[in-house]
Amino acid sequence: MFKPLLRSLVFIIIATSLFAQEQYHYQTDFPPEEFAARRAQVYEKIGNQALAIIQGAPGVDGFKIFRQSNEFYYLCGLETSHAYLLLDGRSRKATLYLPHRDEGRERGEGKVLCAEDVELVKKLTGVDAVHGVELMPRHWIWSGLVRLPAPTIYTPFSPSETEADSRDESLSGQASISSDPWDGRPSREGHFIHLLRTRYPQFEIRDLSPILDAMRTIKSAREIALIRRASQIAGFALMEAMRSTKPGVFEYQLDAAARYVFQVNGARREGYPSITAGGTNAWMGHYFHNDAVLKDGDLVLMDYAPDYRYYTTDITRMWPVNGKFTPVQRELYGFIIAYRNAVLKYIRPGVSAAQVMDEAAADVEKVLSATKFSKPHYEKACRDALKFRGHLSHPVGMGVHDVGDYKAGVLQPGMVFSIDPMIWVNEEKWYVRMEEVVVVTATGVENFTDFMPTTMEEIEQTMKEEGVVQLRPATTMK
């Protein structure tokens, strides 16, 4: 009796293991038709005598979890490292070049879509062909060099974005490497361009980044839904941080409260490192140490959002550590709320970002004239804010500082960006701001976090509730 039962259990375990190994991971947010439509835009932009080649992200070291680069994911959704996507403008066909199956790795990590999964990959992504990565040069020779004239090659020149990355930060990091006399490595994109030019001098190499940037400026309905959900999660997270704030709590404990909300709501990564800054720490725009104790009487600024299925947001609130705004804090934060409301009022399609700023500033001027400030330099800081043009801030999407430019023309439905009214009180190293992420709609604007506490009364009321840091405080051992 025992041996047949044991054999049955062994069979079940083996069968379950084999079934688990056959499972593959592929995104479910976009159908192949949406990726095909994006690739069709690329064909139109590069013309019928050009190719476009997009590198996927490299593999990761150690126990890190792989995340695909934004540009590659945007065009096919595939999360396989060291992959290449070839878009042929002459035939208007897409080919994926993938590494071959690594059975040892799959036993430890699960199935990875590879060159052997031809029909499955074609079905999931909508591409026309799938080959091993080693065949890419041979195919280029026959299609590009034997059949003259040689086509133009488009590839991204700008740094790719992966986890918690934005292009501006990547460019800054590459500049630091380039200026180090003991380093000086080129970017991965720069090295790839060098290889193309060295191995195939017949090809003219052009930058694909501006084309993809322009495409990503207008978000699809499915993209907007993901950004909306990322914003909701970020809003819930900041509200939990508000509840958990008390004098004596560490900045990083508010991070923990927020990240808990990210994780339980399905956002496994962060869109960017947390900025949680008490008191004058908020004066530093990208403060990241987050190791100070929160003090009674101070404000704390929190700017934090998740990476939710390759899309993020950018939300900021400030609140009093002790749960009650002082009269002086009310003066300045009240001005910020008024500015935020004015900007939201005037965002609509068909007008420029500059026009929105002018109309909002005119409204806020009336508020400013009717406000009695306790110190002259508070009024000066607010008047200086009327001249500042950065309150309509940056695009948001796959990157927190996303690519594209919504300020060059008029606002269009599908543009997503942050509004970020802020003031600097130089005399006291006091920085005050609030940030929302919005999408331009056919009739106006949608604020993704209009459910969040915004007024000072709403914030104070939220802070009366018990937070997760108090429910499960830090433990010590004697």
Side-chain angles (χ1 to χ4, degrees), residues 53 78 80-86 95-101 113-119 121-122 127 129-140:
I53 182 72
L78 193 69
T80 299
S81 62
H82 297 286
Y84 294 81
L85 175 64
L86 179 66
T95 302
L96 275 166
Y97 293 92
L98 305 179
H100 291 280
R101 169 145 290 121
L113 291 168
C114 62
E116 283 67 40
D117 300 310
V118 175
E119 295 306 318
V121 171
K122 287 167 61 176
V127 300
V130 178
H131 299 288
V133 71
E134 76 283 355
L135 292 178
M136 188 166 67
R138 183 180 302 176
H139 290 174
W140 281 15

Side-chain angles (χ1 to χ4, degrees), residues 142-255:
W142 284 102
S143 67
L145 300 181
V146 175
R147 293 168 47 199
L148 297 175
T152 300
I153 299 285
Y154 283 83
T155 194
F157 285 14
S158 296
S160 62
E161 312 143 317
T162 53
E163 184 173 4
D165 273 349
S166 288
R167 182 179 296 167
D168 53 355
E169 296 297 321
S170 297
L171 286 169
S172 177
Q174 185 59 43
S176 297
I177 292 172
S178 298
S179 62
D180 181 349
W182 295 99
D183 193 337
R185 289 165 294 155
S187 67
R188 187 167 183 258
E189 293 73 22
H191 180 62
F192 184 59
I193 294 163
H194 171 73
L195 291 178
L196 290 176
R197 286 176 171 156
T198 302
R199 296 176 181 178
Y200 306 104
Q202 300 91 334
F203 291 141
E204 178 188 356
I205 311 298
R206 293 184 184 175
D207 187 6
L208 185 63
S209 294
I211 292 173
L212 295 179
D213 292 356
M215 289 170 55
R216 285 172 56 186
T217 301
I218 305 295
K219 271 62 176 178
S220 72
R222 290 183 179 88
E223 289 182 289
I224 291 168
L226 290 171
I227 301 169
R228 181 185 294 114
R229 181 55 180 158
S231 300
Q232 291 169 351
I233 295 170
F236 294 143
L238 266 64
M239 290 166 65
E240 190 58 43
M242 288 180 192
R243 298 184 187 101
S244 294
T245 302
K246 299 286 186 296
V249 168
F250 283 88
E251 292 164 340
Y252 61 75
Q253 291 179 303
L254 301 191
D255 293 0

Side-chain angles (χ1 to χ4, degrees), residues 381-401:
C382 294
R383 291 202 174 277
D384 288 344
L386 294 180
K387 306 170 189 175
F388 181 61
R389 307 301 285 182
H391 303 304
L392 269 185
S393 195
H394 52 81
V396 178
M398 300 186 84
V400 62
H401 293 175

Side-chain angles (χ1 to χ4, degrees), residues 67-71 73-74 159-170 213 216-217 219 223 226-227 230-231 270-273 305-315 393-404 406 416-418 435 437:
R67 184 192 185 280
Q68 188 59 272
S69 64
N70 287 343
E71 290 169 326
Y73 186 90
Y74 182 76
S160 62
E161 312 143 317
T162 53
E163 184 173 4
D165 273 349
S166 288
R167 182 179 296 167
D168 53 355
E169 296 297 321
S170 297
D213 292 356
R216 285 172 56 186
T217 301
K219 271 62 176 178
E223 289 182 289
L226 290 171
I227 301 169
S231 300
E270 56 183 13
Y272 52 94
D307 179 328
Y308 181 72
R309 301 180 180 182
Y310 282 79
Y311 287 80
T312 190
T313 186
D314 197 3
I315 310 299
S393 195
H394 52 81
V396 178
M398 300 186 84
V400 62
H401 293 175
D402 207 22
V403 299
Y406 67 91
V416 178
F417 49 84
S418 71
E435 189 172 20
V437 169

